[in-house]
Amino acid sequence: MSDGMAEWLNVLIAVLGGAIRVGTPFLFVSLGECLTEKSGRINLGLEGNLIMGAMAGYGVSLLSGSPWLGVLAAGGTGMVLGFVHAGLCQQPRVNDIAVGIALMILGTGLAFFLGKPLIQPSAPRLPAFHLGAWSDNPAVRAALEVNALFVVGLLLAPALAWFFRSTRWGLVVRTVGESDDAARAMGHNVNGVRMLATMAGGFLAGVGGAFLSLYYPGGWSEGLSSGQGLMAVALVIFARWDPMRCLYASLLFGGAGALGPALQSVGVTWGYYLFSAAPYVLTLVLMIAASSTRVRSGMPGSLAAR
Amino acid sequence: MLLALAPFLIPLTALALSLVLFGGFVALAGADPVEVYQSIYRGAFGTWYSWQNTLTRAAPLMLTALCTALPARLGLVVIGGEGAVVLGGLAAALAGLALLDAGPWVALAGMALAGGLAGGLLIGLVGWLRHRRNVNETISSLLFNYICIAVLSFLVVGPLKDPETLNKPSTHHIGEAHMLGALGDSSIHWGFAYGLIACLLMWVLYKRTTFGFAVDMTGGNVRAARLSGLPVGRIVFLVCMMGGAAAGLAGMVEVAAVHGRANTSLNAGYGYEGILIAFAARHHPLAILPMAILFGGIRAASGLLQRNHDLPDATSLVLQGIIFILILASEAVFARLARRGRS
């Protein structure tokens, strides 16, 4: 195999590995937002959940020595933020997009504020499965290090799909999302269901944030997230509110995000920033292509009514 | 009577409550709330020096707030101010370089036009996508933010880089002669006047012209507006263009009054703060002015907070977040009171 071919193969492997690595936070946030939106609410504050989760996860991991406790704590902070979001949105005349942005700012501010002492120390990280140990190629080995959280997400996606499709609670969530009136007529507490869905979604987003600080890129700093929480909202639309498609889309976005660094590692430095814009452009193009003058199929009715 | 005063009471109550909550927050962080309040006041409005600092910081915020506030009256939530600032600044810098040999008035006019046009077309596109293809304007404008920042970074470290700017890659300088000067002998640059004029103009447009009335109608009920013959698509595009042009102008001001070049300093969060201010002002162009000054003051005071009380930069973010949330919540409270009052 010639050198050029080997180089391009390395890029491909790096992109595949990056798809898993960079895609994991997308996976968790999009699954969480999928749940929230299925219940008929849109939560733009997940970026704040992500950053807050990253900070809390790192801090608790540092204090307790266990990264998994950190993950749990991160989910907990996400739940709290989700609670605030739902509580505000169910009040009259409150714009849920504005609430989302407000919580994003508050969550980010709080995380930066409380996270000051966390910038230096090194906390225990999440474990990974070294599926590439058979290879001599360091690129292959790096790419096939599948982190444990991704495996959790991999199991979560079909579980969530099954939840929506085949359980009574899933049906309740979907009914609330389709039509407030129908749900109320059936005796469901619309606000209560949305609150629970938003809190659960917030929990998952927080866990996604913990991944950023406890695995990749690892460590706590103020530049940890670059809009992944917000992109996940676009991802859910792109995935047509289907958990399994969220999984595939997360891998796609992760791969697109890994393209820049992968090319850089083989010496292609031209246009680095342009490649970093690839996932955003992809989302935009897909949103435009998938849109139409009619309501998109699969969209929960309550979201379409806005 | 309460309802008549609601537009003023809502933000005022929210602000008062925010200060109380913020006081509690800093107390938990180990600082004395009363002293913190004093520092904020001193840093923002205490001296002529701090006033100049505040007003200078408020200038771009007035313009970027319009980027969210103008489309909001149509019912659109646009958060693309950041991208419009970046694009506008870039376009203005390029125009300034193209007009290096022209007189200062021509150069400044060219830069303002370029910045406004760039920002306007960006947000106009967002509005058009929403109107024609039902693409959610919040998410598309957000995505454009990231794309614009990436394009700026690419151009500034690559094709447009001034080789002398090693530490902070930037475009070439537009020349001292073409920089936007200050008002009188203060240190407040003309950008403040731009912001002031823009908000006043928008208020006149909305309240006193048929166009403003058309916008209100469209915002109230799109189908009714369409049925009465209003060109809804054109209105959406125009309003979004105006908002984007304002934010693009803010970018031009950053280049022409502060840096003289385009670089990643354009991406300084003015767009996002503008969103906050627009909501805090309930999308009223005149209310944007005091709100922008308030938030400018908070930013101006953050340096003092850091020095005197050891409170990090993120503290002002927390205060802004608290204010934002309480303003949204107080709106809900008043809506409930209104409902009860009516029944």
Side-chain angles (χ1 to χ4, degrees):
Chain A
M1 195 187 294
S2 73
D3 256 351
M5 267 267 285
E7 277 199 349
W8 283 108
L9 199 67
N10 274 345
V11 171
L12 187 67
I13 295 175
V15 168
L16 285 174
I20 296 178
R21 205 175 305 128
V22 178
T24 306
F26 281 131
L27 179 59
F28 277 90
V29 182
S30 66
L31 286 178
E33 179 67 9
C34 191
L35 179 58
T36 306
E37 290 198 14
K38 274 281 205 203
S39 79
R41 178 157 294 142
I42 188 164
N43 184 352
L44 278 183
L46 290 182
E47 180 76 4
N49 287 42
L50 194 78
I51 297 182
M52 196 68 190
M55 196 264 330
Y58 198 71
V60 170
S61 174
L62 189 67
L63 289 173
S64 70
S66 158
W68 291 107
L69 263 178
V71 169
L72 223 65
T77 59
M79 245 169 53
V80 170
L81 285 172
F83 172 74
V84 176
H85 187 277
L88 278 173
C89 285
Q90 68 191 37
Q91 305 302 322
R93 285 248 309 240
V94 176
N95 182 319
D96 27 343
I97 294 194
V99 172
I101 298 179
L103 281 175
M104 175 172 79
I105 295 179
L106 187 66
T108 308
L110 274 176
F112 287 178
F113 184 86
L114 296 170
K116 280 286 178 208
L118 295 176
I119 298 188
Q120 288 287 22
S122 177
R125 307 289 173 89
L126 283 170
F129 298 106
H130 302 278
L131 294 179
W134 50 268
S135 165
D136 287 329
N137 187 336
V140 173
R141 260 198 279 192
L144 288 181
E145 272 200 31
V146 175
N147 70 88
L149 215 53
F150 176 74
V151 177
V152 173
L154 200 62
L155 297 169
L156 195 61
L160 201 61
W162 173 81
F163 170 77
F164 286 134
R165 205 178 40 238
S166 311
T167 68
R168 199 173 145 263
W169 280 108
L171 183 61
V172 171
V173 170
R174 275 191 295 140
T175 313
V176 166
E178 277 307 317
S179 160
D180 281 30
D181 294 330
R184 238 172 252 132
M186 287 170 68
H188 300 311
N189 178 350
V190 170
N191 281 335
V193 172
R194 287 200 178 134
M195 159 90 58
L196 285 174
T198 311
M199 284 173 71
F203 179 89
L204 288 174
V207 168
F211 172 84
L212 287 175
S213 61
L214 291 176
Y215 191 80
Y216 180 82
W220 164 256
S221 72
E222 297 192 359
L224 208 54
S225 169
S226 49
Q228 282 110 312
L230 290 163
M231 276 173 66
V233 177
L235 213 158
V236 170
I237 299 179
F238 167 50
R240 292 207 173 325
W241 296 274
D242 174 347
M244 285 311 289
R245 282 173 168 219
C246 285
L247 173 64
Y248 306 138
S250 304
L251 289 172
L252 187 68
F253 276 53
L259 199 59
L263 285 173
Q264 209 177 36
S265 70
V266 293
V268 179
T269 49
W270 182 90
Y272 174 74
Y273 290 106
L274 286 185
F275 286 115
S276 72
Y280 308 115
V281 175
L282 186 67
T283 312
L284 194 62
V285 167
L286 287 165
M287 277 185 78
I288 297 175
S291 68
S292 64
T293 46
R294 294 168 291 108
V295 169
R296 289 181 280 294
S297 66
M299 178 184 234
S302 305
L303 284 186
R306 38 193 357 265
Chain B
M1 225 237 15
L2 206 69
L3 290 179
L5 288 177
F8 299 101
L9 286 182
I10 293 179
L12 277 173
T13 334
L15 286 173
L17 214 64
S18 314
L19 279 178
V20 171
L21 272 178
F22 182 65
F25 175 73
V26 299
L28 282 173
D32 179 354
V34 179
E35 281 184 24
V36 168
Y37 294 152
Q38 285 179 332
S39 294
I40 295 181
Y41 181 75
R42 245 185 317 139
F45 309 116
T47 65
W48 175 231
Y49 176 76
S50 35
W51 264 106
Q52 290 179 86
N53 199 354
T54 298
L55 292 179
T56 309
R57 285 174 193 270
L61 298 178
M62 291 179 199
L63 292 167
T64 56
L66 284 174
C67 188
T68 298
L70 294 181
R73 298 183 82 100
L74 284 175
L76 300 175
V77 182
V78 170
I79 59 176
E82 199 76 13
V85 167
V86 161
L87 216 62
L90 192 64
L94 291 176
L97 290 175
L99 294 168
L100 261 178
D101 298 322
W105 286 106
V106 177
L108 281 174
M111 294 203 295
L113 206 68
L117 214 67
L121 286 175
L122 179 72
I123 307 295
L125 178 64
V126 169
W128 184 83
L129 282 174
R130 168 63 205 261
H131 175 76
R132 268 315 195 91
R133 306 271 303 184
N134 214 17
V135 175
N136 183 306
E137 72 281 4
T138 309
I139 298 182
S140 67
S141 56
L142 184 75
L143 291 171
F144 273 121
N145 283 352
Y146 290 114
I147 296 175
C148 289
I149 294 171
V151 168
L152 173 76
S153 301
F154 167 69
L155 288 174
V156 145
V157 307
L160 295 179
K161 185 166 101 168
D162 178 356
E164 290 176 23
T165 58
L166 277 175
N167 279 346
K168 181 138 200 145
S170 319
T171 59
H172 292 259
H173 202 281
I174 56 171
E176 283 297 331
H178 291 177
M179 298 269 296
L180 200 60
L183 293 165
D185 44 313
S186 70
S187 66
I188 310 170
H189 56 67
W190 265 91
F192 179 74
Y194 287 5
L196 202 66
I197 296 172
C199 288
L200 287 171
L201 227 90
M202 286 303 126
W203 177 72
V204 167
L205 193 75
Y206 271 70
K207 288 296 178 192
R208 302 258 177 238
T209 64
T210 39
F211 180 74
F213 185 67
V215 168
D216 271 341
M217 266 197 79
T218 315
N221 187 329
V222 177
R223 281 180 65 201
R226 210 175 275 141
L227 286 172
S228 42
L230 287 179
V232 171
R234 215 179 302 164
I235 293 178
V236 167
F237 184 74
L238 273 173
V239 169
C240 288
M241 258 211 89
M242 291 195 296
L249 203 64
M252 172 256 175
V253 166
E254 276 301 291
V255 167
V258 182
H259 302 290
R261 313 166 182 274
N263 52 42
T264 49
S265 299
L266 282 172
N267 174 20
Y270 294 127
Y272 290 119
E273 256 184 278
I275 302 170
L276 253 174
I277 292 171
F279 275 96
R282 303 175 84 232
H283 310 297
H284 192 292
L286 282 186
I288 287 180
L289 294 170
M291 281 299 168
I293 294 179
L294 177 71
F295 278 80
I298 295 176
R299 286 299 209 160
S302 75
L304 209 64
L305 284 181
Q306 210 164 23
R307 275 197 304 274
N308 288 8
H309 305 277
D310 216 18
L311 291 170
D313 228 4
T315 317
S316 49
L317 267 177
V318 174
L319 179 56
Q320 287 174 7
I322 294 179
I323 293 178
F324 199 178
I325 290 185
L326 285 178
I327 290 203
L328 292 170
S330 59
E331 191 138 347
V333 169
F334 271 87
R336 284 192 173 218
L337 288 176
R339 221 186 274 169
R340 222 171 286 163
R342 224 171 282 149
S343 65

